Amino acid sequence: MAGSLVARAPAMMRDGLASIARYVRAIMGDNAYEMYLAHHRSVHGDAPPMPEKLFWRERDDVRDREPQGRCC
């Protein structure tokens, strides 16, 4: 039993680190475009989504126009 746990330890560590990375990306907003794409697919089907560069530009413009609790 202990041997199987040792054998699975690298995979468990990798999965744990991947979960932490996803959490940090979500907090920092780095996954916003992926979330937009998922939403766009579910709502708009086959319509072409906004290109990533334009998405980030629009997102930054909205944040600049409507600041909400930011320090800068």
Side-chain angles (χ1 to χ4, degrees), residues 3-66:
S4 65
L5 182 59
V6 171
R8 291 189 331 223
M12 292 169 62
M13 294 258 314
R14 185 181 54 244
D15 292 345
L17 290 173
S19 295
I20 291 169
R22 281 192 304 272
Y23 177 73
V24 170
R25 287 188 70 213
I27 288 174
M28 300 301 291
D30 291 346
N31 66 344
Y33 187 67
E34 289 87 6
M35 292 177 60
Y36 160 74
L37 290 176
H39 167 78
H40 190 275
R41 270 191 302 275
S42 69
V43 173
H44 303 288
D46 292 334
M50 185 183 318
E52 186 172 6
K53 189 173 182 178
L54 181 59
F55 169 82
W56 290 111
R57 187 178 306 133
E58 291 283 328
R59 184 173 184 257
D60 288 343
D61 289 347
V62 168
R63 285 185 160 192
D64 288 340
R65 283 192 310 267
E66 303 168 14

